[in-house]
Amino acid sequence: MRHICTWLTILDLSLLWPCVISMNFLISFSQQTKHVNHIRVKREWSWEPLYVSEEQEVNKALYVGQIKSDSDKQDGSIKYILSGDGAGTIFTMNENSGKISVLKKLDREEKSFYTLRAQAINRFTGVSVEAESEFVIKILDINDNEPQFINGPYVAEVPEMSPKGTYVMQVTAIDLDDPAYGSNARLVYSILQGQPQFSIEIKSGIIRVASQIDRETKDQYHVIIQAKDMIGNVGALSATATVTINVSDINDNAPKFQQKTYNMSIIESASVGEIVGVILADDNDIGRNAEIIYSIEERGDYSMFNISTDLITQEGIITLNKVVDFERRSRRYNIQVRAQNKFQMELFDTAIIRIYVVDVDEPPVFIKKEYFMEILENATIGSFIGSVTAKDPDITNSTVRYGILQKKHSRSFEIYSNNGSIITARPLDRESDPWHNITVTATEAKNAAHVSYVPVHIRIIDVNDNAPQLQIEYDSYVCEKSRAGQHVETISAVDKDEPTLSLPFSFILPPEDTSNANFTVIDNGDNTATVLAVRDGYSYQETPLFYLPIIISDNGTPALSSTNTLTIKVCDCGTDNNKESCRQGGFFFKFLNSGAFIAISVFTFLILVLALLLHMKFQKNHVALTEKGEDLKENIVKYDDEGGGEEDTEAFDMIGLRHHTVMREHKTKRTIRTDIQSMYRLSLGLGPDVAIFREYLSEKLEEANTDPSILPLDSLHSYAFEGTGSTSGSLSSIESSGSNIGPYF
């Protein structure tokens, strides 16, 4: 063992650890031999350092090194066996000499070392001469890999005007070669493009600002960085990367006007708020740093104009603050405007603006914006109401002509075209139109296109020209059992005139009616009056209606009055003497409260009795015809034209449809009773004569019972009675004459 360790001291220190492993295997092998032969035999391995350079072209087996046992006598009795990584495919061993060769090209970056095992046995007995030993073949590195930048692409940002040495960013490159072997993987960085603005640290790859940079000059730089291995020596490999460095803006520029003096103009007819012109100051900064605020400094005519900032275009918009007048005021205005940075007030610029007023031919101008006038409603046609005035504002002072726009109310007025005086053209009525709104025009005589307009409001003043009237059409009643002094109705009046002219109202009876024996009127002094009964008791039968004339006067100058008639109806009012029942029931209620109710009841009862008797008689005749076996003839007549009157009945005999013995006798025309009251009398509440109705119905019932020509069918007879006063008499079919066939039901 002492000899083996002495040999290994000559080898590279990097191979010491395989030696230790080999010693462990030799110790193990010695122990195994001891157990087998029971005799301790001291044997040793010996080999050369084993290295293979990568990327070597191998056309035939290339010698690497040799391992052998110190017990090998070179007599061919020992056989060497190789196993482990790549044994037989990458590496091969001569079994007689122990020489190791490589069979193909190797790549250290793929595999940097191979671990193999060697064994020495007796060729004849197969017994191990040496214990199996493990060893390593190391692949030597060559500079065959270029550096590679990682974490790209590289983009950085740095503020403009940054001081020298300001950190920008760091770039990193790697080399796949062996960093522990020579300088193949030792990198250095340099700038190929981007100086003198930027620099880079050779070993770390940190990029820094090398000189002052201005965004307004250049806002982006493309810096090319190179990474080279072998510390940049000859034969070194390199790679490059581009770093995009954006220069961010700082607020370091003041706004600048494009010119120091601006000339603008505005017409004198421009209204307040109208745009005069636009100015623009440039700021070389960007974004928020370029935002500008415009203002007018308190110099010159600063109060005549305003300036505002357009937040989108960053323009200063000048507008008119006060009306300008070419004829009366200055014809040129001077203002000084200021453009300053929104966030850095000390960054600003100023400019002078001259604004010239341009004369225009303006339309006439009315002295007032609107006119208010008044006139009495009873004013005669041609009465003066008022006048309007307009003037030409121009220096020429042209003549003005007046007119009225033709509208609904304008036809009631006229205007003098030369002086603007307004007069009435039609009668006026305050009750129809209390106000009239017209539009007056003013036109230049020399230029009809220049027209101005002004509204004129004309109020019609009321005069007392309407007499008061009853407020409503009263539905007044007086009970038949009323007592003298009892309340009948409370009335009020209305007047179309204004209350100040008409109130208060007064209520009186006409002079010829002051001694009215039925009713009287009491003026309440509050524009109402009370109608009272004068006597006890009223008769609906004698006088159902009373007409009470009432004079209503107003308090105007002169006072006007009107006679109004109050209709008062007499009502039964029932047992409780309540007039409300009269209003609720109306005519029908009064009618039922008279004797007509009894008459209608009796008439209805007689009609029912008559219908019952007729029904019984029809049933009896039907049975008699059936017993005699007489058949009724039936004819079917078909019509296919519009009809020809009586000619259409020639197809059959109408008499055959009746019983042969039943022929109605001719009746003489009944004399009309003139003492029967008409329905008109009933409508007046006078009531019918019950006895006369009873006699009339009895006669009709007797005729029906004795009529031998009645049909054997149920029938309902209907009678109509016109009553007294009708020259036509009864319309009943029983009274019909001129036919022997009889009535049809």
Side-chain angles (χ1 to χ4, degrees):
M1 295 294 292
R2 185 175 62 252
H3 296 291
I4 295 173
C5 292
T6 301
W7 175 256
L8 289 176
T9 56
I10 304 173
L11 301 177
D12 192 298
L13 292 177
S14 63
L15 298 176
L16 288 177
W17 64 274
C19 177
V20 177
I21 296 174
S22 299
M23 288 190 295
N24 291 335
F25 275 105
L26 290 174
I27 293 171
S28 176
F29 178 76
S30 297
Q31 293 175 352
Q32 292 177 3
T33 306
K34 179 179 179 181
H35 288 294
V36 174
N37 298 324
H38 304 285
I39 298 174
R40 183 178 180 86
V41 180
K42 184 178 180 181
R43 298 185 177 94
E44 296 287 344
W45 282 100
S46 65
W47 58 70
E48 301 172 358
L50 302 177
Y51 295 97
V52 178
S53 295
E54 66 172 333
E55 304 297 338
Q56 291 188 87
E57 295 293 337
V58 180
N59 297 324
K60 60 180 181 178
L62 182 65
Y63 176 77
V64 176
Q66 183 181 14
I67 64 172
K68 65 178 181 177
S69 174
D70 56 1
S71 61
D72 187 0
K73 304 300 183 182
Q74 302 294 324
D75 56 0
S77 61
I78 295 178
K79 180 182 179 180
Y80 295 94
I81 301 172
L82 183 67
S83 62
D85 289 346
T89 57
I90 299 176
F91 300 99
T92 183
M93 177 184 283
N94 188 302
E95 63 180 12
N96 296 320
S97 63
K99 292 181 179 180
I100 302 172
S101 301
V102 63
L103 300 177
K104 62 180 182 179
K105 183 170 65 173
L106 301 178
D107 185 2
R108 189 203 67 83
E109 285 73 37
E110 183 177 339
K111 192 171 178 68
S112 61
F113 65 89
Y114 292 86
T115 302
L116 297 122
R117 293 182 299 277
Q119 187 178 3
I121 64 174
N122 188 293
R123 187 186 298 275
F124 303 106
T125 63
V127 177
S128 297
V129 177
E130 297 287 350
E132 184 179 58
S133 177
E134 185 177 80
F135 62 94
V136 174
I137 299 176
K138 187 174 181 181
I139 311 301
L140 296 177
D141 183 45
I142 65 173
N143 190 22
D144 61 341
N145 289 279
E146 297 177 352
Q148 297 178 359
F149 283 94
I150 61 174
N151 302 325
Y154 298 102
V155 179
E157 184 176 276
V158 62
E160 63 174 331
M161 302 300 173
S162 296
K164 185 178 179 179
T166 301
Y167 173 87
V168 179
M169 72 173 305
Q170 183 178 14
V171 296
T172 303
I174 60 173
D175 195 316
L176 297 178
D177 292 325
D178 190 358
Y181 183 78
S183 300
N184 293 343
R186 296 180 64 183
L187 305 179
V188 292
Y189 298 93
S190 62
I191 293 180
L192 300 182
Q193 177 182 307
Q195 295 176 331
Q197 290 81 11
F198 302 96
S199 64
I200 190 169
E201 295 180 0
I202 295 177
K203 294 182 178 181
S204 65
I206 295 176
I207 302 173
R208 299 183 183 275
V209 175
S211 63
Q212 190 178 71
I213 52 178
D214 185 4
R215 188 203 65 81
E216 287 72 37
T217 302
K218 189 174 183 178
D219 61 356
Q220 189 179 74
Y221 293 86
H222 297 285
V223 180
I224 298 178
I225 306 297
Q226 183 186 63
K228 187 180 276 190
D229 58 14
M230 295 183 67
I231 320 178
N233 294 326
V234 177
L237 301 178
S238 64
T240 60
T242 300
V243 179
T244 302
I245 301 176
N246 296 314
V247 181
S248 61
D249 183 54
I250 64 172
N251 197 1
D252 60 341
N253 289 279
K256 293 293 182 183
F257 281 107
Q258 297 175 351
Q259 56 194 73
K260 285 298 182 180
T261 304
Y262 293 86
N263 293 319
M264 300 179 182
S265 62
I266 186 171
I267 60 175
E268 63 173 330
S269 60
S271 56
V272 173
E274 192 166 329
I275 296 177
V276 179
V278 177
I279 59 175
L280 177 64
D282 296 324
D283 192 321
N284 291 330
D285 295 321
I286 60 174
R288 297 176 70 252
N289 295 333
E291 294 183 13
I292 300 173
I293 297 177
Y294 295 91
S295 61
I296 297 178
E297 296 185 340
E298 294 187 1
R299 296 180 183 178
D301 304 300
Y302 67 92
S303 63
M304 292 295 297
F305 304 92
N306 286 328
I307 189 169
S308 60
T309 304
D310 189 319
L311 298 179
I312 298 177
T313 63
Q314 291 296 299
E315 294 176 325
I317 303 174
I318 302 172
T319 56
L320 185 63
N321 189 42
K322 297 180 180 179
V323 176
V324 294
D325 191 340
F326 181 84
E327 288 75 24
R328 298 182 182 179
R329 299 182 182 179
S330 176
R331 299 181 183 181
R332 191 186 78 176
Y333 298 90
N334 295 321
I335 60 174
Q336 179 170 308
V337 295
R338 176 188 181 100
Q340 63 185 24
N341 190 278
K342 185 175 181 179
F343 304 102
Q344 297 288 342
M345 298 298 181
E346 66 275 7
L347 301 176
F348 67 91
D349 193 17
T350 60
I352 300 296
I353 300 179
R354 299 189 184 99
I355 302 174
Y356 296 88
V357 180
V358 179
D359 185 27
V360 295
D361 190 5
E362 301 174 89
V365 177
F366 284 96
I367 296 177
K368 298 181 180 179
K369 292 184 178 180
E370 57 182 346
Y371 290 85
F372 291 89
M373 303 177 182
E374 293 180 343
I375 189 171
L376 294 172
E377 65 174 322
N378 61 350
T380 59
I381 296 176
S383 298
F384 174 77
I385 303 174
S387 62
V388 298
T389 302
K391 295 183 178 180
D392 184 5
D394 298 320
I395 299 177
T396 57
N397 194 18
S398 300
T399 304
V400 177
R401 295 287 181 261
Y402 301 93
I404 298 178
L405 286 182
Q406 294 301 318
K407 294 182 180 179
K408 177 182 177 182
H409 298 296
S410 62
R411 299 184 184 130
S412 299
F413 307 95
E414 292 180 353
I415 189 170
Y416 288 102
S417 62
N418 57 342
N419 60 11
S421 297
I422 302 174
I423 61 174
T424 59
R426 293 183 180 181
L428 304 175
D429 185 6
R430 187 205 67 86
E431 286 69 41
S432 298
D433 296 297
W435 281 91
H436 292 266
N437 299 315
I438 63 175
T439 301
V440 176
T441 63
T443 308
E444 284 188 12
K446 295 181 179 180
N447 190 350
H450 288 172
V451 183
S452 297
Y453 304 89
V454 68
V456 178
H457 310 285
I458 302 175
R459 176 176 172 264
I460 309 303
I461 302 175
D462 188 31
V463 296
N464 192 24
D465 58 347
N466 290 279
Q469 304 287 335
L470 283 176
Q471 186 173 16
I472 60 173
E473 185 177 349
Y474 291 92
D475 187 19
S476 304
Y477 292 89
V478 62
C479 295
E480 290 183 318
K481 299 178 182 179
S482 294
R483 298 293 183 181
Q486 189 167 346
H487 176 272
V488 176
E489 188 68 81
T490 299
I491 60 175
S492 60
V494 293
D495 195 323
K496 293 181 180 180
D497 295 322
E498 292 181 354
T500 55
L501 298 178
S502 57
L503 295 180
F505 299 131
S506 61
F507 302 83
I508 60 172
L509 292 177
E512 64 274 11
D513 243 10
T514 52
S515 59
N516 191 303
N518 297 305
F519 305 97
T520 187
V521 175
I522 304 300
D523 192 338
N524 298 325
D526 58 355
N527 301 315
T528 65
T530 302
V531 179
L532 302 176
V534 176
R535 60 187 176 87
D536 295 336
Y538 297 86
S539 174
Y540 178 82
Q541 298 293 336
E542 294 178 359
T543 309
L545 297 173
F546 288 94
Y547 300 100
L548 180 64
I550 302 173
I551 297 177
I552 307 175
S553 303
D554 59 20
N555 194 36
T557 304
L560 298 179
S561 62
S562 65
T563 301
N564 300 262
T565 301
L566 180 66
T567 302
I568 303 174
K569 305 169 188 177
V570 179
C571 179
D572 184 6
C573 298
T575 57
D576 56 353
N577 206 31
N578 184 9
K579 290 190 294 184
E580 292 301 323
S581 60
C582 301
R583 293 189 176 92
Q584 295 173 1
F587 172 78
F588 182 72
F589 179 82
K590 294 183 291 181
F591 184 75
L592 292 182
N593 278 327
S594 65
F597 178 75
I598 300 174
I600 291 175
S601 300
V602 174
F603 182 78
T604 304
F605 174 75
L606 293 178
I607 290 295
L608 293 175
V609 172
L610 178 60
L612 180 61
L613 293 176
L614 290 175
H615 177 69
M616 295 174 60
K617 183 172 181 62
F618 292 157
Q619 292 293 335
K620 181 178 180 181
N621 291 339
H622 180 66
V623 173
L625 289 174
T626 304
E627 293 176 353
K628 292 180 180 181
E630 294 180 357
D631 298 330
L632 295 176
K633 296 180 180 180
E634 294 181 355
N635 285 343
I636 299 176
V637 181
K638 181 178 179 183
Y639 296 90
D640 56 359
D641 55 14
E642 295 290 334
E646 296 181 356
E647 295 179 357
D648 289 338
T649 60
E650 294 178 357
F652 59 92
D653 186 2
M654 295 291 292
I655 299 177
L657 295 177
R658 296 176 174 81
H659 196 279
H660 293 288
T661 59
V662 180
M663 292 298 293
R664 185 169 183 176
E665 297 179 0
H666 177 69
K667 298 290 191 302
T668 59
K669 185 176 182 180
R670 181 177 178 272
T671 304
I672 301 302
R673 294 284 301 273
T674 59
D675 56 350
I676 299 179
Q677 296 180 357
S678 65
M679 290 301 293
Y680 173 74
R681 181 176 177 82
L682 295 179
S683 65
L684 296 178
L686 301 179
D689 191 331
V690 179
I692 296 175
F693 267 105
R694 187 181 297 110
E695 179 182 354
Y696 173 75
L697 292 176
S698 299
E699 291 179 0
K700 296 301 178 184
L701 182 59
E702 182 180 358
E703 290 180 4
N705 291 334
T706 58
D707 190 354
S709 60
I710 194 68
L711 292 175
L713 298 172
D714 292 345
S715 178
L716 176 64
H717 291 257
S718 177
Y719 304 98
F721 180 68
E722 291 193 358
T724 304
S726 175
T727 58
S728 60
S730 174
L731 297 179
S732 172
S733 59
I734 301 178
E735 293 294 320
S736 300
S737 61
S739 176
N740 295 327
I741 298 176
Y744 295 94
F745 297 94

